Amino acid sequence: MKRKLISVASMLIAGSLLFSACGSDSGTTASETQSSSSGTGAQASGTSGEKSYFKKYDEPITLTTHAVVGADTMYQDGGTAENNAWTQWQKEHLGIIWKLKWVAPDGATDQQKLDLAFASGDLPDVISPTKEQLAKYVAEDQILPLNNLIEDYASPLIKWAIGEAKERTKGSLFLPFTKAGQIYGFPVMKELMDYYNTNFIRDDILNQMGVAVPKTLAEYENVLEKYHQQYPKGYGLGMDNTLSAQAIPMAAYKAYPKHWVKTGNGEIVYGSIQPEAREALVKLAEWYKKGYIDPEFAVKDNSKLQEDVVQGNILTYYGHWASIAAPFNGMWSKVAGSNVTCMPNLTGEDGKTGVMANPWFDGSRAITKACKNPEAVMYLLNENWDSFYRNYTDLREKMKNEYGYEFKYPVTEERKPLNVDQVARDYPGAAQPRQLWKYDYPADLEGCGFMNSFYTHYTVLFGFTGGPVSIANGALASMADAVNKNDTSVLIGEGKNMYAEWTNTNPKMLTTFASTYNYWSEFEKTDEFSADAFSGAATPTMTEKKQYLDKLELETYTRIIMGSLPITAFDEFVQNWKKNGGDQITKEVNEWAKGL
């Protein structure tokens, strides 16, 4: 259900001036590098001054890639992953022919095939590697740096998007794919809220108890005590065996377990071994002893915890915003009058809180050095975004007034699918029914975003993927705005479809989402919100030792919370962590940071 909710809300974004931070150091421009391999004729329409960002190759070029196509992937009219309306459109209108070197049934198989292709020296032109794979391929000089390619070929729309995405991710947009200042991977971008977890609390129960949504650690502890007295069969803090919910009190201590933290002197340290985490564990142990935490949490996975939520036995749940689908939909159906809202990140005695986001965008698209026409990938990105976002009138005005960029494609009246009911009836198990929807757009309508196929609407397999952070965020923001104002006229883009879908499922999905969005849209602007200081691929010692160290950490934290170990066991854990590879990992992380 989560994927269904978020797949259309992809995000990316703010000015071409900011893009200079990822500019060239090589002294050779992408156009110079490719001059010997870009001899095919081109027809282009300029959209910003004399600069052209769109091209059709008179002599068609071929690009190779690979794809994951699951058993539930469906195509219209007998199409395949390699031959469908989207690839046919590219061939006809852009002169780009895509060939798949392989199709894998799942991600794991795809990664194996990619490594085999690397070992045999036969990588496709455009690849989707993991962070670890990309680092390995870069080390063997198989990947093309993107700095100059983006600088020379990306439209102002793309550069604006990159600039804001860098700003929104605290500068870490490209870090997982950067070495010595060179960018080797273009992030597969999702909306940023996908990386935030939220403190959800039953506000119907708070109302029954006569207390407000807590904002401080002390207020929250008071709520837990009242809840335990009035609902002795329930548990105030929903905890499972991953300990993810420990983040709720950890924020008040400015503790960051599982994260890498940059100190005042610029050193990067591991959050799980810092004194602040020790303090928070003392508090969690107190809560466990008082009965605020399920005594069986250590043997319960998240699915079991969600069952407790559905039964109405949990006051506070820590989870992704898609929790509005599961477990909350089940609870709303089963527990009459139940309601959920976002609880702010708790502040400590100093009135401050501290929250750290996971590294963003760990998936990427990269271009190998074997590719003869890498600029075509950027032209395709320019083309797709210009067409897909043609109806965002505010964006059109912004790009025209601030960047001198005129959209290639005109505003187009959007039409609803013709066969939604038929698809629902004939393909009840379709994971992505939009793949099968048809529209009545005229055949001569230009642009890749308004044709009669799923794969012309979303570039999920070919070229660079994702979308502007602010655009997707704008769709989500419009949904929250519609709830806040009780006015659906403010809905924009994909927000219209999601609003209708959630309303039909359960209107409480919208109100709960709005409370979450309203909070995060403001909190992410504060200095109390930061990004993990390490966002690179696994270091050599991480690859060798991290699994053991993670197990050591989980066992120690769990036993301290349950009281089977005293808090002094934390100090012993720190020493064991350091001498069993932790110190070397810390050294490697800091070396990584110096090499950016």
Side-chain angles (χ1 to χ4, degrees), residues 148-388:
N148 292 330
L149 187 68
I150 299 173
E151 180 64 30
D152 289 351
Y153 294 100
S155 71
L157 176 62
I158 304 302
K159 291 182 179 180
W160 160 80
I162 288 172
E164 191 180 67
K166 289 171 64 178
E167 182 177 341
R168 293 285 299 277
T169 59
K170 310 291 185 179
S172 68
L173 175 68
F174 289 114
L175 289 188
F177 323 111
T178 300
K179 182 178 181 180
Q182 291 294 307
I183 301 164
Y184 291 94
F186 199 94
V188 178
M189 289 158 287
K190 298 182 286 187
E191 24 77 15
L192 298 186
M193 279 187 65
D194 194 41
Y195 293 86
Y196 308 160
N197 275 352
T198 296
N199 310 325
F200 293 101
I201 193 164
R202 289 275 304 277
D203 55 332
D204 61 308
I205 291 180
L206 297 182
N207 292 335
Q208 292 172 15
M209 297 192 303
V211 295
V213 175
K215 298 180 180 179
T216 70
L217 183 68
E219 290 173 352
Y220 181 61
E221 195 164 18
N222 179 58
V223 167
L224 292 178
E225 181 180 2
K226 287 182 177 293
Y227 177 80
H228 184 62
Q229 292 171 349
Q230 298 185 31
Y231 300 88
K233 293 184 179 180
Y235 300 103
L237 176 60
M239 183 84 81
D240 63 21
N241 57 11
T242 67
L243 305 188
S244 62
Q246 69 180 345
I248 293 179
M250 289 282 179
Y253 291 92
K254 277 69 74 182
Y256 308 99
K258 298 292 185 184
H259 289 288
W260 290 91
V261 185
K262 181 172 286 189
T263 63
N265 63 9
E267 180 187 9
I268 299 176
V269 298
Y270 188 53
S272 296
I273 64 171
Q274 303 309 309
E276 294 83 358
R278 188 185 196 276
E279 293 182 68
L281 284 173
V282 171
K283 181 59 66 177
L284 282 164
E286 290 179 9
W287 291 352
Y288 179 86
K289 187 175 182 179
K290 291 179 178 179
Y292 303 164
I293 300 173
D294 185 349
E296 297 182 352
F297 81 88
V299 295
K300 285 189 172 182
D301 60 16
N302 188 253
S303 64
K304 293 295 184 183
L305 175 58
Q306 289 194 19
E307 290 177 9
D308 290 337
V309 173
V310 170
Q311 295 299 321
N313 295 327
I314 300 295
L315 175 68
T316 318
Y317 181 78
Y318 178 79
H320 187 272
W321 68 262
S323 300
I324 59 175
F328 297 144
N329 255 331
M331 181 189 70
W332 291 324
S333 298
K334 189 175 185 64
V335 182
S338 58
N339 202 54
V340 183
T341 194
C342 172
M343 181 179 76
N345 292 301
L346 301 175
T347 60
E349 295 180 355
D350 61 355
K352 297 288 186 179
T353 187
V355 176
M356 187 168 286
N358 292 321
W360 286 282
F361 312 136
D362 53 0
S364 73
R365 298 286 274 174
I367 302 176
T368 63
K369 285 194 169 182
C371 183
K372 294 181 179 180
N373 292 94
E375 79 288 344
V377 181
M378 190 55 62
Y379 281 131
L380 178 57
L381 182 62
N382 294 342
E383 182 85 37
N384 187 53
W385 282 21
D386 190 285
S387 176
F388 187 81

Side-chain angles (χ1 to χ4, degrees), residues 123 266 394 398:
L123 284 171
D394 289 345
K398 179 182 182 69

Side-chain angles (χ1 to χ4, degrees), residues 392-593:
Y392 287 78
T393 53
D394 289 345
L395 177 61
R396 296 181 74 98
E397 288 300 308
K398 179 182 182 69
M399 296 310 301
K400 178 181 178 180
N401 296 334
E402 298 182 25
Y403 301 94
Y405 177 81
E406 295 273 7
F407 270 64
K408 173 182 177 180
Y409 294 110
V411 174
T412 301
E413 178 187 359
E414 294 188 57
R415 306 186 185 184
K416 295 182 179 181
L418 301 173
N419 60 332
V420 174
D421 293 338
Q422 178 188 343
V423 169
R425 181 179 65 252
D426 295 346
Y427 302 95
Q432 295 176 297
R434 295 182 191 194
Q435 294 175 346
L436 303 174
W437 289 351
K438 293 187 177 182
Y439 302 81
D440 62 350
Y441 289 112
D444 60 352
L445 178 66
E446 293 186 347
C448 55
F450 289 87
M451 296 186 66
N452 299 327
S453 167
F454 176 89
Y455 283 110
T456 60
H457 212 55
Y458 305 100
T459 52
V460 295
L461 291 181
F462 301 97
F464 290 153
T465 59
V469 171
S470 287
I471 296 303
N473 196 60
L476 297 178
S478 75
M479 294 170 66
D481 198 28
V483 173
N484 298 337
K485 298 177 179 179
N486 193 27
D487 179 8
T488 58
S489 69
V490 301
L491 293 169
I492 63 174
E494 196 57 38
K496 299 175 184 177
N497 295 329
M498 289 190 289
Y499 191 97
E501 181 178 0
W502 296 2
T503 298
N504 292 335
T505 303
N506 191 321
K508 290 183 179 180
M509 293 178 69
L510 287 165
T511 54
T512 303
F513 168 78
S515 73
T516 301
Y517 184 88
N518 293 341
Y519 177 74
W520 279 107
S521 63
E522 294 301 317
F523 183 75
E524 68 180 9
K525 302 174 186 176
T526 71
D527 60 5
E528 296 173 311
F529 175 71
S530 58
D532 196 301
F534 176 71
S535 57
T539 70
T541 309
M542 281 184 184
T543 301
E544 181 183 358
K545 301 285 189 179
K546 187 174 183 296
Q547 185 175 4
Y548 166 75
L549 293 177
D550 286 348
K551 181 180 178 183
L552 177 66
E553 177 181 332
L554 180 62
E555 290 178 352
T556 303
Y557 272 43
T558 299
R559 294 183 66 187
I560 289 174
I561 293 171
M562 297 182 72
S564 61
L565 283 179
I567 191 58
T568 53
F570 179 86
D571 308 317
E572 182 179 352
F573 154 70
V574 171
Q575 294 306 312
N576 287 334
W577 187 90
K578 287 173 170 286
K579 70 182 182 182
N580 284 285
D583 276 345
Q584 181 60 30
I585 292 175
T586 302
K587 179 181 177 181
E588 292 168 354
V589 167
N590 281 274
E591 289 174 347
W592 165 85

